[in-house]
Each structure stands twice: as C-alpha cells, then as structure tokens.
Amino acid sequence: MNNEIHIKNGLVFDPTNKIEGKICDIYICDGKIVDKVSSSAKVIDAKGMAVMPGGVDIHCHITGPKVNLARKLMPEDHRLDPHFKTKNTQSGSGGIVPSTFATGYRYATLGYTTAMEAAVPPLMARHALEEMYDTPIIDNGYYVLLGNNLFLQSLIAEGRKEEFKEAVSWWLNVTKAYTVKLVNPGADEPWKGHKNLNVKHIDDNSKVVDIAPRTVIDAFINVVHELGLPHPPHIHCNNLGHTGNYDTTIETMKTAGDRRLHVAHIQFNSYSGEMGKSPQSASKEITDYINDHENITCDVGQVMFGKAAFMTADAPLTYLLRGYKKQKWVNADTECESGCGILPFDYQGMIYTHALQWAIGLEIFLLSKDPWRIVLSTDHPNGGSFANYPLIIKLLMDYEFRKEAMKHVNQKAMNSTILGDLKREYTLNEICIITRAGPAKCLGLKDKGHLGKGADADITIYDMLDDKEEMFNAPRYVIKAGQLLIENHEFVSDYTDKKVLRVAPDYDKDIEKVIKPFFDDFYSISFGNYAINDEYLHGTGQVIETKKKKSIYEN
Amino acid sequence: MKGKLILIPGRSAKQGVGLNKGKLKDEYKKVTTTLEVSFEDMKSLGLETGDHVKISNEIGETNVIVKGLREGKIPEGYAFIPYGPPSSCLFDGETCASGMPESKGMKIDIEFIKKGEKKKTTLPPLNS
Amino acid sequence: MSAASKDNKIVNEKIVENATCTFCGCCCDDITLTVDMDKKVITKAQDACILGKAWFLNHVIEDKPIARIDGKEVALDDAIDEAAKVLMDAKFPILYGMSDTICEAQRQCAPMMDDCGGTIDTTTSVCHGPSGMAFQGVGEPSMTLGEVKNRADFVMYWGGNPAEAHPRHFARYAVTPKGMFTPNGKDDRTVVIVDVRQTKTAGVADIFLQVKPGKDFELLWMLRAACKGAAIPDNCKELCGIEKDVVEDLFDKMKNCKYGVIFFGMGLTMSRGRHFNSGALMALATDLNEFTHFVAKPARGHGNVTGADNVVSWQTGYPFGVNFSRGHPRFNPGEFTTVDTLTRGEADAAIVIASDPVANFPKPAIDHITSDKCKLISIDTKQTPTSEAAHVSIQTSTYGINTGGTVYRMDDVPISLRPAFDSPFPSDLEVLTKLRKKVNELSKKANRPYATKKYI
C-alpha cells in the first residue's frame, strides 16, 4: 500500500512555522511530514482549499465514567440524532453526548484529530482508557483529577513536600495521565461530608473545609512545574458559575505567580456582580490579566444556545443548577478522590444569564491579544456540543453576522456587555492558532498542531468558502497519521490505530510504602490492583517528554 | 390437599454454589427444586417438609419438594424458590414492554403428590 | 472441596495475590489463590466467601471438545465460520448474555451485531434493566463502595438479600468495615432492611421492615411525600404493612443522617411496578439530598454485568435492548429485549454468550429458542442447558481464572483480573474477535444498503 501523499496547490496555514496562508507543497511519508516523496505518491490537488494541521481540542469530556453515565441518562437525545453505519465505519448514537464511535467520526468530520478528555478520577481511569480505544481516529489523552484527593491533601497539609511530589508523580504514572486536573479544589469534603455544602472562597478555611483551596492550588502548580510536565495544572476554579466569581479567578491566576497555569473554560469564571444576584460581564478584567501574563493559558468554554449537558467533578454546582428545573440528575462520589455531577441542560437565548454567558465567551475571544494562549472550546458538552465549533468560528470571523446574532437574544444581557462594540474579526490564521497550533503548544505537543518536517501527518483540507461555518463544518480531506480517512467528504477507511498521549515523570518507588497504608484503610480495592498496566494503552501510548518551562514560548 | 400461593423466586447462596459446581449436576437440581413455604401454610395445606408437590399456573407446571419455614420468615400465603429450571416453567414471557418478565409474585396452585421418600424431617424449633 | 489431597504435597505451586472473584457484582479483589499448576486446579481461595470458594475451587479443566456443531466435534474455525454464516443469513439475529465475560470481549459484540443488522441485549434486561430505564427517567445519586465504607452512617438494603447473593457486601463495604469517618464500624451505622421475606440479610438489621409483597412503591412514595412535608398517612399499615410510627421514625433517621445510602435489589425490579419501583427509590434518594448527602445504588448481580452495561452504552448510547436493523442503534425495551424477541418468536438466530437462557427464561421464550425456528449459538465456559441445546456450541476458558481482562464492579469501578492458570480452551476474547472479523467480512461481501435492513 502506498504510504506517501503529496498535497499540492493548497493554501497552507501553519502558524507555528510562520506560514500564514501561502501556496506550498506538503509531503507525507509513513505518518509523518517529510521534505519530499517519490513520484508514486498519491497526489491531492488542493487548489482553492485551505490546508491546516488537524484540530486539537484541549478541553472536552468525551470518554470515561461520567461521560458514559450521561450517555445512559439521555436516550431521548440519542434518538433524535442517529449516526448511520457506512461501509467503512460503525454506527452510533449522536446528540449532545454521542457514543464513542460517533464521537471519533464526528470530530474527524470537523477536521479535528486530537482531543483531550478533561477530567477522570484515578480510580476510574481504566474506564476512560477503554473508551478511548473505542473512539476511532482521534488521539486522546486525559487529565487526572487530583485536586480533591484526600491523601495528597493530607501531605500538603502536613508540609511533606518531597513526598507530595513523589506521590503526584506516582499517580500520573500509574493512571497513564497527561497532566493534573484540579476541580473546585477543597470542595469535596463539604459536599460529601457536610450535607452538601460548598467551599465559598479561595482562602476558605472554615470548619467544613480541611484545607484552603489556595494552598492546594499552589502546591500543585509547584509540583507540576518541578516535574516539568508538558502541560501545567488544568484548573476548574472555585466558585465556577457563581456571580462575582472573577475575583476568585484572578486570585487563582495570581497564586501561580510566574509559573504556568491553564485555566479551563474561563468564560464560566468571568462574572462580576454580587453573589446570589444576576451576573455581569467581567471579560475585561479577566482578559486584562491574561494579556499581561505570559504564563497563563486558557480555553474559553464558549456557551452555545441549544442542548448541553453538565458533567463535572464540581458536584455542588450541578446540584445547585438542578434546583432550577428539578430535572433528572446524577451524582457520583468517588472514594477519597472526587465528586461528580451530571445534568442535562438547555441554553436559551431569551434567558438573561444564558445570553450573557454567550456574550462573555465571545468578548474573551475578542479582547484577548494573544491567540496562542486562548483556545477555542465549549467545554463540550457543558457549554454545548463540539459540533458548534464551526459556528463559533463564524461568529469570530464575521462582525456583521455577530451583530445579527445579537439581535435574536436577550437584549438586557446584550446591553450590559460591550460585545456590540468589538469589531475585531479573526483571520483564518488566527482561527488556525486557536483551534490547532495554539492548543498543541499549550499542551506541549511538539509533533502536533503544525506542518513542519517531522510533525505527525494529521492534516485537514477545507474548501475555501465565504461562509466560514460551512467551510469548517465539512473538510474535503482529513488525513490522520498519514492515512487518508476522508476523501471528498466521505469516509474511505476506518482508522483504529490511535495513540494515548501521556506523561511518565520519574518517581521514587519507595513512595508506594507511604501510600499503601492509606489505601489499605480507606480504599475499597486492593493497592496492588490500582496501578494500570500497559495493556490499557493497547500498544499505542506515546510518552511526552517532561521539561521545565516558564511559558509556552520556551522551547 | 390443594391450595393457592404467591411465588417469589430469588437467589440463594446454595443455588449460587450449586451452579458453580455445574448446572447439570444433582446439587443444583436439588436446590432449585426446593419450595419454601410458611409455617402457617404448611399447616393449613397439611404438608410436611420433604413432601412432593406439583406447582402450576396458566404457563406451566413443575414438581418440587416442599420445605417449611418457621414463623415470620415468609408471610402467610407466599412461597419462595431459588431460580432455576423449575421456576422458569412458571414465568410468563409477557414483559409489559419492559423486557423483564414478572418474575416475582406470580399466583400458583399447589397440589400434594406424594410423601417424601426420606425419613420425615421436623420443622426447625421456633426460637432457634 | 480441595482437589489436592492432604498426603500429596503440591510440587508446582503458584500463589496469586489480589485475585478478583467474578462470581457476583462485589468483585472482591483481595483473594489469595493457591494454585496447583500440575493438576491445574485452585486448591485454596483465601478470603473468598462461600460463593467465591465454590467459584474458584470447582474450576477444573474438563475433557470436552472446544467446538461442536449439532453435538459433533469440529475445528474451532469451522464453528466460527458456521456461526458467522448463521448470523448473516438470519432475518432477525439476536445476541444475548455478556455478563460473565470481560469487557474486552464484550466490546466485540455490538460492532458485530451492527454488521449483521441484529439486536444486542445483555442479562441486564432480566436483572436491573428496569433500574436502567428508571435511571434514564430520574437519574441517580450514587457513589463508589469505598465512600460507603468511609462515610455512610445510614445503610439500607431494599428488596435484596446480600447475605446470600453478595455475601461479603456487609464486611467489605457497607456494614462492618471501619472507614475514615466511621471508625467504629457497625456501631457508627444504622442498618435497615426492607424486604417481603425475613431473609438471612435481616439478621444484620438494626431495623427490619417487612413490607407487604408488591407494596414497595407505596412505601417509597410515602417517604417521598414526607420529603415534601406531607404526613405519613394513618392507614400506613394497611397500605404497605408497616406501622405509621415505624415509618415516621425511619424517615427521621434518613433525614438526619450524615451520609445515607440505599442498595436495592431485584425485589424491586422484578415485581409489580418494575422500573417505577426503582425510579421511586432513586427519586427518593435524590429528594433526601435536600436534607443531607444521600445516595443509592442497585446491587448488581453477575461478575461483569455492570461492565456489559457500560460497554453497550459507550458503543451504542443505550445500555441494553439495542437493535441495528436500520443501520443505527435503536433502543426499545419490550421490543428488542431478549425475553420479548423470543416469546414473540421473532428471533431466527440467537448467539448466547456466557449465559443460560434455556435454564432461566420464561417457558415460552425457552420453547422458541430451543425450537428449530431459531438457530442457537452458544459461547460458554461451562456445560449448561443452553450449550447442550445449541446448534453451534463453543467452549471457552473462564475469565478471572484462566484469562485476564477488565470487569466492572457493581459501582462501576473497573478492575483488572489476575488469571490463575492456563486453559486449553480459547478465551471469549479470541473467539469473539475472530467471529466479529468473520461477520465483518461477510457483511462487506453482502454489500447491502446499510440503512435498510431486513427487519420490518
């Protein structure tokens, strides 16, 4: 079989290598981008098309225990959106939380070839890895929830820094994770152990909180920096979704000092106003801070109108939201490690708060000065499905379209924002940055997000269309690791040999002696059965190197 | 000696052990053909532990061996049997659009066939 | 029970630590196995319960053919070819079972039925299927079992008999263990049992409530109403068999505990009301969160039935009863669940994996599956009435004893198995992977339009 491809005449966007829409040739051999290929290579004539690296989703929820609970919870949603079998692909169910096969295929049909699952409790990591193997085409990695880990918290509280570092490293290794995820740190104990309370402040040290969130955040930022992970701690800040929470967000970013930190779905953490009352936009305050601090990266968590599903380790927030309509709700406590809440949701343009959230997300995109540090996401499916990405791109690239869209939603919300005054329009090159080059850089994935020699041959070729939603909705060609998957909008093969991306920092084996007694006392599975063996990578794991960095600009 | 009872099939540890040894073996067969009936019903039906009875409903019928339970273990009018081929004979395939046949609480007729072959066993003492 | 006689010391002994027992949904993963590698038997299963011991110690390598067609021994590949052909030729092929095998093998099943346009259903449909339907309706506040051990000060079992069905549930997870916030074990907990029978489980109860058979829903709904401020009705006893003041006291305890949990069994799902019963219970647990932290969980049965639920859900979006005849998954319990497809005589081919419908199903379903109108394929580790009645019968090795892989405990915690000794029989994974490939080849050859299959 011919493993060489030559893409010619395409308008190439490769911001990492400073190619901003230039007609040039791309050569592929054995899954990688190379300097040249033989004359027998398959030729793709990309005349009139844009050639970009495959998309990289830095924050979504697509595999693992909570995702599967949400899938089970919403048959009514699957029913409306069947995903049909084709000669080359399996069938599945669509909707806001698609089945694994449908998830992989649908990401590919948007031109995405990598997606990172944003939150998995360590005890359930096998489940996430198993689902990843059943999610075709896209490479995956996942962030492991450690922010509410009781054992790690006790090490922090007792000031046992060395052991803490070794233990975090151990956890990353045995769970095959990509980086540390912190979700509402410190909130599990009030929720599970104190009749459904929540932590209120980053410096909360009331009786129900064992340890102040800031102490936890600081300890993790430090240790991840020390370990040199390719991606910093990925944080879901305290007070997410609450009016007046931008303070907490800024305090969280300040806690990082000049060390790296990635703030997830920052839109949900950019509200001013008085707690308990209607929110206002704090996009300006938030973007001001980000613009001035190179160590901070974030993804937006854009809210889109229509169906969504909350699935988050922030259990108290989900329960609070459930209170509005008393819909079906799932809570899932994981011993010693995490909480979880799931709730089907609907964002409606006519509702003040929802319209405001939509506007704040767009404001953050438009006010931020450095596209490399702001990533397009909907926090799928929390802010809406990843299927909305093309529409978001159109909103960012087209001021008139945005103005028109604003007319159809809550006017009180629109009048309270500056969205209408922001005339900026993203360029194709900037879109290429916020959807692939940037997130790859934020993740420290050197082989992805660009088309330079040696990069993974994950490539998307779009027809150049005036309607950018249409353009990004249906790439004409998608190539994954050098294999042509979509040709003329149709799947021509099914790619299953995919990679699990992970880190494997060194650690001292003796740390197990410190951890084991805790396990024996408080976990319900044996310590010996906790570590995940390599079989779960199905031979397709890739370890990303560790190296200390102060910002994404350091090599 | 005829009567009506409501049957509640379920799991038991013995049945679990039996099926590990093999479903085609005697132990499993013995466990799954033992019908547990309340003290009161045993009395009113004139049955003794070890008696062979026929239980039946509109779906089917099967022969089982009856065992008396002491007071309070099972309400009067009810009988218990571990899951197995005999209980299956009495399940209706109708699931009321749920996929689950109504597998607990079916009305059955019980009829004496013959005395047990073994020496008569007495009921366990009431307060043991 | 032990196969090693006392006089003959085992020469070739192997110890397997942290082995997982897959007999019931507890999936206890702390068993130490002693294996006689010469005789290929497990001689000791330390810490296993009565069911676990029966599971491990009775496992012997039987001298039986791997594959049979109509009772005659054949090569495995021939049996797989025949099975694939049966599935492809059938108008309405169904796949059933899957609860007693590893997830890796289960993962082969849905794509295979997708390729032949069939129906996939697991033993869930006759177990906690109604709870699955209730879950779709009302959701569920839940937890892993370690949370119960660490935190629960109110533990309730409703319509289940764990003392006999999940013997170590009390000691490992829910009643006696000493946890982080329950340092005194059982003394820190109130244990309540609700059942129609006074089973062995009732023995551990601080409070035993003997509910009238078929009246669980009434009691649950009374408690739900109480959450909303309604009084327990005066005719409570008449409605559900329990005194009013007992129910009031119960509600008080539920409301005022710190971390409450209800485990529920098939006493709810199999009796009148089915998914309404489990739905009422899950809704009650949800309601109680207004007062305190409260969770509920079905006490699932077979070793990996929870895994089957998970796998079918992630591959199709639905937990059981899924049909592919229109080129995409459709879920409809009552239509695509196995008891129904058999009782109505629709299925003309059935592949049964690690399950025994011929012994357990309602009579009309058994009549059809064993008739010549339905070609039966059985993949099982043991001889069962189903394997003996099958047209194609393949015997496989046993998960957790001969093969590794993943199982999900009743609380969705995935665990890797540690096999004790090899088996001459192929694994479920091997057989199903081959069969899936074969069916896929045939389906590509058949070249049908994909979205319009045979089922009307």
Side-chain angles (χ1 to χ4, degrees):
Chain A
M1 201 178 124
N2 196 336
N3 55 1
E4 294 182 320
I5 299 177
H6 174 195
I7 303 166
K8 63 177 190 185
N9 299 333
L11 194 61
V12 174
F13 289 87
D14 183 9
T16 309
N17 297 308
K18 310 262 184 313
I19 299 172
E20 303 177 1
K22 202 176 102 187
I23 291 176
C24 50
D25 295 312
I26 301 284
Y27 304 104
I28 299 166
C29 180
D30 288 337
K32 294 279 179 186
I33 294 183
V34 293
D35 279 343
K36 60 173 187 222
V37 288
S38 66
S39 55
S40 63
K42 181 185 170 71
V43 176
I44 293 174
D45 186 353
K47 195 169 180 212
M49 301 176 203
V51 180
M52 292 187 181
V56 178
D57 198 336
I58 201 171
H59 188 110
C60 59
H61 300 277
I62 52 172
T63 63
K66 64 180 183 319
V67 180
N68 214 28
L69 284 168
R71 264 184 210 118
K72 282 190 215 172
L73 187 65
M74 300 164 75
E76 70 283 3
D77 189 42
H78 300 315
R79 191 179 172 79
L80 298 172
D81 185 16
H83 188 94
F84 283 91
K85 180 176 170 55
T86 71
K87 189 160 189 178
N88 294 305
T89 58
Q90 299 286 345
S91 75
S93 296
I96 188 72
V97 191
S99 64
T100 51
F101 300 140
T103 301
Y105 299 136
R106 287 181 177 198
Y107 259 109
T109 49
L110 294 183
Y112 272 70
T113 50
T114 305
M116 305 300 273
E117 160 61 46
V120 179
L123 187 62
M124 306 294 200
R126 279 183 186 85
H127 183 158
L129 291 166
E130 279 208 287
E131 278 195 29
M132 280 177 197
Y133 195 60
D134 267 348
T135 308
I137 300 171
I138 49 178
D139 285 343
N140 300 116
Y142 80 92
Y143 313 145
V144 66
L145 288 160
L146 295 181
N148 279 303
N149 184 305
L150 293 179
F151 177 74
L152 290 172
Q153 284 187 358
S154 70
L155 290 181
I156 298 170
E158 291 165 24
R160 293 155 73 179
K161 285 189 179 159
E162 265 313 300
E163 286 161 298
F164 176 68
K165 182 179 159 194
E166 297 300 330
V168 170
S169 190
W170 179 83
W171 245 290
L172 287 163
N173 270 281
V174 301
T175 59
K176 318 272 185 222
Y178 195 79
T179 194
V180 171
K181 176 77 182 290
L182 309 175
V183 174
N184 198 2
D188 269 16
E189 206 42 46
W191 168 250
K192 295 177 189 170
H194 296 272
K195 303 192 172 186
N196 299 352
L197 296 177
N198 196 356
V199 55
K200 294 236 158 61
H201 194 272
I202 188 170
D203 293 313
D204 197 338
N205 54 3
S206 60
K207 254 192 233 157
V208 298
V209 183
D210 288 345
I211 184 165
R214 195 194 294 273
T215 317
V216 178
I217 296 165
D218 180 61
F220 276 103
I221 292 173
N222 209 37
V223 79
V224 172
H225 180 68
E226 287 297 313
L227 292 171
L229 300 191
H231 186 57
H234 200 94
I235 186 166
H236 162 134
C237 299
N238 300 105
N239 282 327
L240 184 138
H242 293 270
T243 302
N245 62 10
Y246 82 98
D247 251 357
T248 310
T249 315
I250 287 178
E251 282 305 311
T252 305
M253 295 192 284
K254 280 185 182 164
T255 308
D258 60 357
R259 299 163 300 183
R260 288 177 68 198
L261 180 68
H262 182 94
V263 184
H265 37 71
I266 199 161
Q267 174 277 128
F268 289 107
N269 273 82
S270 305
Y271 310 143
S272 56
E274 204 179 315
M275 200 168 275
K277 295 194 175 157
S278 283
Q280 300 288 324
S281 170
S283 55
K284 180 121 187 25
E285 290 84 342
I286 293 289
T287 43
D288 279 351
Y289 189 93
I290 297 172
N291 288 339
D292 291 346
H293 293 81
E294 273 199 353
N295 60 317
I296 304 289
T297 57
C298 69
D299 60 271
V300 173
Q302 176 65 33
V303 154
M304 295 301 278
F305 303 120
K307 272 187 190 156
F310 282 114
M311 51 171 81
T312 169
D314 194 341
L317 171 74
T318 321
Y319 185 65
L320 181 88
L321 292 168
R322 185 215 170 239
Y324 291 110
K325 283 163 88 181
K326 301 277 193 283
Q327 309 106 304
K328 52 187 177 184
W329 161 74
V330 174
N331 175 64
D333 300 338
T334 304
E335 62 209 56
C336 312
E337 290 180 350
S338 183
C340 168
I342 297 162
L343 185 75
F345 202 77
D346 217 342
Y347 288 103
Q348 296 169 41
M350 284 304 137
I351 294 178
Y352 171 83
T353 307
H354 300 178
L356 186 79
Q357 289 177 305
W358 175 82
I360 292 173
L362 293 173
E363 283 178 354
I364 291 172
F365 275 116
L366 297 168
L367 289 169
S368 78
K369 290 185 179 147
D370 181 0
W372 289 94
R373 293 187 288 113
I374 182 147
V375 180
L376 187 149
S377 80
T378 56
D379 186 13
H380 164 86
N382 287 278
S385 165
F386 62 82
N388 285 303
Y389 290 177
L391 180 56
I392 298 173
I393 290 170
K394 185 173 182 180
L395 285 164
L396 294 176
M397 293 188 75
D398 188 338
Y399 171 67
E400 289 305 323
F401 178 68
R402 204 155 64 219
K403 282 287 268 186
E404 183 59 30
M406 285 178 70
K407 287 185 194 156
H408 301 283
V409 300
N410 187 294
Q411 290 307 298
K412 192 175 152 222
M414 291 307 106
N415 293 335
S416 78
T417 70
I418 54 165
L419 182 58
D421 305 331
L422 300 174
K423 296 200 170 126
R424 178 177 172 191
E425 289 181 337
Y426 267 63
T427 62
L428 264 181
N429 195 56
E430 284 173 325
I431 293 296
C432 188
I433 296 172
I434 63 169
T435 56
R436 33 249 311 150
K441 212 157 221 182
C442 294
L443 287 165
L445 290 170
K446 288 187 178 158
D447 298 341
K448 295 199 182 292
H450 72 99
L451 300 173
K453 191 185 164 191
D456 288 345
D458 300 348
I459 299 175
T460 310
I461 304 175
Y462 299 100
D463 291 314
M464 278 295 240
L465 301 174
D466 288 340
D467 185 327
K468 295 299 181 260
E469 184 187 6
E470 215 175 300
M471 170 173 166
F472 282 93
N473 228 334
R476 185 170 287 274
Y477 299 94
V478 174
I479 296 164
K480 172 72 202 320
Q483 186 182 334
L484 186 59
L485 288 168
I486 294 179
E487 185 169 20
N488 289 323
H489 309 299
E490 299 283 345
F491 278 95
V492 289
S493 62
D494 191 357
Y495 184 93
T496 46
D497 183 22
K498 44 173 288 177
K499 278 186 291 209
V500 173
L501 309 166
R502 65 184 175 107
V503 294
D506 293 334
Y507 67 95
D508 179 1
K509 263 252 167 205
D510 280 351
I511 193 65
E512 293 189 357
K513 289 183 196 145
V514 184
I515 302 170
K516 187 172 182 296
F518 182 88
F519 259 77
D520 293 345
D521 287 348
F522 304 127
Y523 271 80
S524 63
I525 77 167
S526 302
F527 183 67
N529 286 333
Y530 190 73
I532 297 169
N533 60 38
D534 286 345
E535 280 167 33
Y536 288 86
L537 301 171
H538 310 280
T540 55
Q542 184 185 356
V543 174
I544 307 298
E545 65 164 349
T546 49
K547 189 182 168 200
K548 274 194 208 180
K549 275 202 265 183
K550 288 234 165 184
S551 80
I552 58 167
Y553 301 107
E554 274 182 44
N555 276 319
Chain B
M1 285 182 280
K2 270 189 189 179
K4 286 191 187 297
L5 290 174
I6 291 174
L7 185 67
I8 305 173
R11 284 212 182 97
S12 80
K14 273 188 183 168
Q15 170 243 353
V17 169
L19 79 89
N20 273 310
K21 293 187 177 168
K23 283 189 166 177
L24 307 178
K25 301 223 166 97
D26 286 346
E27 182 171 337
Y28 181 74
K29 285 183 183 163
K30 190 180 160 198
V31 174
T32 55
T33 47
T34 303
L35 180 78
E36 297 178 1
V37 178
S38 75
F39 175 79
E40 299 87 343
D41 289 320
M42 289 293 274
K43 231 170 154 182
S44 65
L45 290 165
L47 293 172
E48 283 178 331
T49 294
D51 286 353
H52 292 246
V53 294
K54 181 174 97 179
I55 52 176
S56 59
N57 60 7
E58 67 276 21
I59 305 299
E61 59 175 58
T62 182
N63 292 349
V64 294
I65 296 165
V66 75
K67 180 184 165 190
L69 292 184
R70 64 188 165 80
E71 232 172 330
K73 283 278 177 190
I74 192 164
E76 196 177 339
Y78 288 83
F80 172 81
I81 189 166
Y83 291 129
S87 61
S88 277
C89 294
L90 307 171
F91 291 177
D92 191 353
E94 174 58 54
T95 72
C96 301
S98 73
M100 169 71 86
E102 196 159 288
S103 324
K104 287 184 194 290
M106 55 274 247
K107 291 179 184 135
I108 54 165
D109 294 315
I110 179 166
E111 187 181 347
F112 175 80
I113 306 177
K114 61 173 183 180
K115 281 274 161 208
E117 283 149 23
K118 277 187 288 175
K119 212 181 109 197
K120 192 182 103 184
T121 41
T122 49
L123 286 174
L126 285 180
N127 294 318
S128 70
Chain C
M1 257 192 202
S2 159
S5 92
K6 277 172 196 160
D7 318 335
N8 297 335
K9 234 188 128 210
I10 304 170
V11 187
N12 189 1
E13 189 183 78
K14 177 175 147 191
I15 304 288
V16 183
E17 281 179 347
N18 300 323
T20 302
C21 168
T22 52
F23 182 73
C24 81
C26 280
C27 295
C28 301
D29 70 330
D30 61 342
I31 318 283
T32 306
L33 301 177
T34 308
V35 191
D36 182 338
M37 294 301 282
D38 290 330
K39 288 186 181 150
K40 303 244 176 198
V41 284
I42 297 166
T43 56
K44 226 170 115 187
Q46 195 188 321
D47 291 330
C49 68
I50 172 173
L51 296 172
K53 285 206 163 75
W55 167 252
F56 284 117
L57 303 181
N58 286 305
H59 189 82
V60 286
I61 301 289
E62 289 170 59
D63 184 22
K64 269 182 31 190
I66 291 173
R68 287 174 294 163
I69 294 177
D70 295 329
K72 276 192 216 101
E73 182 169 358
V74 294
L76 176 62
D77 286 345
D78 293 342
I80 287 173
D81 287 353
E82 172 65 12
K85 196 170 166 301
V86 166
L87 291 174
M88 280 307 294
D89 289 349
K91 283 209 174 80
F92 195 118
I94 63 168
L95 183 148
Y96 174 74
M98 292 166 58
S99 56
D100 266 332
T101 189
I102 52 171
C103 294
E104 287 80 353
Q106 291 165 349
R107 289 220 310 259
Q108 312 305 319
C109 296
M112 182 162 82
M113 296 323 275
D114 191 9
D115 283 344
C116 68
T119 299
I120 184 169
D121 187 34
T122 75
T123 55
T124 288
S125 68
V126 295
C127 168
H128 270 288
S131 305
M133 291 157 68
F135 177 88
Q136 294 172 337
V138 299
E140 174 190 65
S142 72
M143 73 302 144
T144 61
L145 293 169
E147 290 288 21
V148 179
K149 160 174 146 175
N150 284 332
R151 297 177 188 275
D153 57 347
F154 179 93
V155 179
M156 187 175 212
Y157 290 92
W158 198 309
N161 185 8
E164 299 206 54
H166 304 103
R168 291 182 77 204
H169 203 270
F170 298 146
R172 247 173 89 75
Y173 307 120
V175 175
T176 48
K178 294 173 179 167
M180 200 177 289
F181 305 102
T182 51
N184 306 309
K186 188 165 191 261
D187 291 347
D188 287 335
R189 297 187 173 95
T190 306
V191 181
V192 183
I193 313 289
V194 184
D195 205 343
V196 296
R197 291 189 299 139
Q198 197 183 346
T199 60
K200 281 190 186 154
T201 299
V204 307
D206 296 310
I207 303 168
F208 172 67
L209 303 172
Q210 193 158 11
V211 65
K212 258 194 205 173
K215 299 293 176 192
D216 301 274
F217 183 87
E218 281 77 353
L219 179 53
L220 286 163
W221 220 252
M222 260 184 241
L223 291 165
R224 282 204 74 195
C227 287
K228 306 291 175 200
I232 303 294
D234 292 333
N235 61 345
C236 178
K237 171 127 188 156
E238 193 187 314
L239 290 171
C240 68
I242 301 165
E243 298 288 352
K244 181 185 175 192
D245 58 337
V246 176
V247 178
E248 279 169 346
D249 176 58
L250 172 72
F251 179 64
D252 214 44
K253 286 198 163 67
M254 291 175 113
K255 205 167 68 165
N256 292 313
C257 70
K258 254 186 113 174
Y259 191 108
V261 56
I262 315 178
F263 293 101
F264 57 104
M266 293 191 292
L268 289 181
T269 61
M270 282 188 170
S271 51
R272 182 179 159 268
R274 298 182 183 91
H275 45 292
F276 290 94
N277 295 337
S278 10
L281 190 138
M282 290 175 190
L284 169 64
T286 301
D287 292 342
L288 284 160
N289 276 283
E290 281 172 38
F291 307 101
T292 184
H293 199 82
F294 219 97
V295 292
K297 197 93 207 164
R300 303 297 309 264
H302 288 291
N304 197 23
V305 65
T306 311
D309 255 35
N310 273 300
V311 170
V312 178
S313 294
W314 80 54
Q315 291 187 331
T316 73
Y318 310 108
F320 61 94
V322 179
N323 173 278
F324 291 100
S325 61
R326 292 195 183 160
H328 66 87
R330 285 185 300 155
F331 167 71
N332 197 6
E335 184 176 11
F336 301 129
T337 33
T338 312
V339 170
D340 304 270
T341 50
L342 290 176
T343 300
R344 285 195 296 261
E346 292 164 342
D348 56 349
I351 173 167
V352 176
I353 296 155
S355 170
D356 188 14
V358 175
N360 299 329
F361 266 20
K363 193 168 173 295
I366 296 174
D367 290 346
H368 180 71
I369 202 173
T370 51
S371 75
D372 55 9
K373 288 180 194 138
C374 181
K375 286 205 167 170
L376 179 59
I377 302 159
S378 155
I379 298 176
D380 209 320
T381 59
K382 283 195 164 69
Q383 276 185 300
T384 64
T386 303
S387 74
E388 297 316 290
H391 166 57
V392 180
S393 175
I394 299 174
Q395 181 158 11
T396 52
S397 55
T398 304
Y399 76 139
I401 293 179
N402 309 125
T403 64
T406 317
V407 299
Y408 285 57
R409 202 166 66 182
M410 61 166 75
D411 57 347
D412 296 304
V413 172
I415 299 173
S416 302
L417 300 176
R418 295 169 185 271
F421 57 89
D422 292 342
S423 161
F425 294 101
S427 67
D428 293 329
L429 176 60
E430 184 190 335
V431 171
L432 286 166
T433 308
K434 281 183 177 168
L435 184 57
R436 171 187 176 180
K437 214 174 142 223
K438 191 80 207 168
V439 169
N440 186 264
E441 281 170 25
L442 292 179
S443 81
K444 282 198 168 148
K445 263 189 219 153
N447 210 12
R448 300 196 175 90
Y450 282 95
T452 55
K453 242 216 110 177
K454 324 154 240 191
Y455 176 68
I456 302 148

